[in-house]
Amino acid sequence: MPQNEHIEQAQKRHGRRLDHYERLRKKEARRPHALADKARKMHGLKAKLYHKERHAEKVQMKKTLKMHQEKQSKVKKDDAVPEGAVPAYLLDREGQSRAKVLSNMVKQKRKEKAGKWAVPLPKVRGMGEDEVFKVVRTGKSRRKGWKRMVTKATFVGEDFTRKPPKYERFIRPMALRFKKAHVTHPELKATFHLPLIGVKKNPQSPMATSLGIITKGTVVEVNVSELGLVTQGGKVVWGKYAQVTNNPELDGCINAVLLV
């Protein structure tokens, strides 16, 4: 192994921290504040150069935003000029067509994508870390507080093995682990007790998704093979997504609506 590659090797072997992407997002959010603070403290020639650079960045950003705004632009047509006389008031409009800028097409695609995956609960109440996790004190005099106990319902999968209790950072209690969910089919108006396959997306945070935490609004994957659903090609549908519509930690069960 070449020197200085031990970090990359560790990442390949053990993966990143569970809250890596959350920390990265927060760091990125703090960046403008840090830059503004730096700009205020600078003076002299360095400050002049730095302000010039920042000004150029802001101009570029404004240009990009302006470009992405919904505005109509005139585009010349390549079609042949129509035969016959044209009224004088139409002469200046000759060979032009109004077209929306590229960003409109992108926005439309986004809308279509959002419509495709329309969910029963589009908005959910945000939860703080103190609501999802409970601090577990460890050490001889209970001074250390690096362990967390998950207070919400979780899913861990069939082949899940706990880490040794001494090194386990996130404790997921057995009483709050779920394997099945009550899934309602919106078209059939019937409810089925189906096994869970995994947690696709928890709207609270990426860390909650990776830990398999199930809260209201979470999109989970369920095994629908026993429903006998088939694709247009005749293949049996095995897994489908469903959104949780209740608070599992309060009700003691998971109620979800199938996304069809």
Side-chain angles (χ1 to χ4, degrees):
M1 182 185 81
Q3 202 176 2
N4 301 328
E5 278 192 13
H6 50 276
I7 294 171
E8 286 84 350
Q9 195 181 43
Q11 282 171 358
K12 280 178 188 173
R13 281 181 183 168
H14 313 293
R16 296 181 183 276
R17 286 173 60 122
L18 286 166
D19 60 347
H20 170 75
Y21 294 103
E22 188 68 11
R23 282 161 64 96
L24 213 65
R25 182 187 65 76
K26 285 180 179 176
K27 189 179 179 182
E28 199 60 35
R30 286 195 301 267
R31 193 168 163 268
H33 298 283
L35 290 174
D37 200 39
K38 187 180 173 184
R40 278 197 298 273
K41 287 177 182 174
M42 269 191 176
H43 53 84
L45 186 63
K46 264 190 180 179
K48 274 189 179 179
L49 294 169
Y50 187 70
H51 289 317
K52 192 179 178 182
E53 195 182 317
R54 288 231 325 157
H55 178 70
E57 278 177 22
K58 282 179 183 176
V59 168
Q60 189 58 44
M61 194 189 289
K62 279 185 180 176
K63 278 182 183 174
T64 311
L65 289 171
K66 198 175 180 183
M67 193 176 71
H68 280 280
Q69 279 173 354
E70 286 196 352
K71 283 187 178 176
Q72 289 187 328
S73 60
K74 287 182 179 180
V75 182
K76 282 201 172 183
K77 277 185 181 174
D78 295 329
D79 302 344
V81 179
E83 288 180 18
V86 179
Y89 62 85
L90 286 179
L91 284 170
D92 60 331
R93 300 186 196 177
E94 193 61 57
Q96 283 185 354
S97 71
R98 291 189 173 272
K100 293 275 185 182
V101 289
L102 178 71
S103 65
N104 286 9
M105 196 169 69
V106 175
K107 282 175 188 171
Q108 189 58 38
K109 277 188 180 176
R110 276 187 196 152
K111 280 176 190 170
E112 281 170 15
K113 207 172 181 183
K116 191 181 175 185
W117 298 106
V119 287
L121 299 173
K123 283 185 181 179
V124 288
R125 182 180 67 86
M127 290 181 185
E129 274 193 17
D130 54 339
E131 196 178 339
V132 180
F133 302 111
K134 179 185 152 194
V135 179
V136 178
R137 296 281 167 193
T138 54
K140 202 172 182 181
S141 54
R142 297 286 177 267
R143 281 185 195 169
K144 293 173 184 175
W146 58 275
K147 284 193 179 188
R148 298 285 180 272
M149 186 180 281
V150 179
T151 59
K152 303 288 174 190
T154 54
F155 172 77
V156 292
E158 288 292 319
D159 54 350
F160 172 72
T161 310
R162 272 184 71 182
K163 282 184 180 178
K166 188 179 178 183
Y167 305 110
E168 190 177 33
R169 182 157 186 231
F170 293 100
I171 302 160
R172 287 170 275 191
M174 288 287 290
L176 287 170
R177 290 188 203 169
F178 287 84
K179 289 183 179 177
K180 288 197 169 188
H182 302 289
V183 183
T184 304
H185 197 295
E187 289 170 7
L188 298 174
K189 296 286 188 289
T191 305
F192 306 94
H193 197 214
L194 303 174
L196 291 166
I197 298 171
V199 176
K200 174 68 179 169
K201 173 100 173 154
N202 188 317
Q204 302 301 337
S205 69
M207 187 166 75
T209 307
S210 62
L211 285 170
I213 296 169
I214 301 169
T215 54
K216 192 173 184 176
T218 303
V219 175
V220 292
E221 195 173 2
V222 288
N223 188 345
V224 292
S225 54
E226 60 190 67
L227 299 188
L229 300 173
V230 289
T231 60
Q232 290 176 339
K235 289 182 179 178
V236 177
V237 177
W238 187 66
K240 249 182 145 28
Y241 295 134
Q243 191 183 31
V244 178
T245 54
N246 71 325
N247 293 309
E249 72 279 1
L250 301 178
D251 300 345
C253 67
I254 297 172
N255 297 337
V257 176
L258 204 67
L259 305 179
V260 288

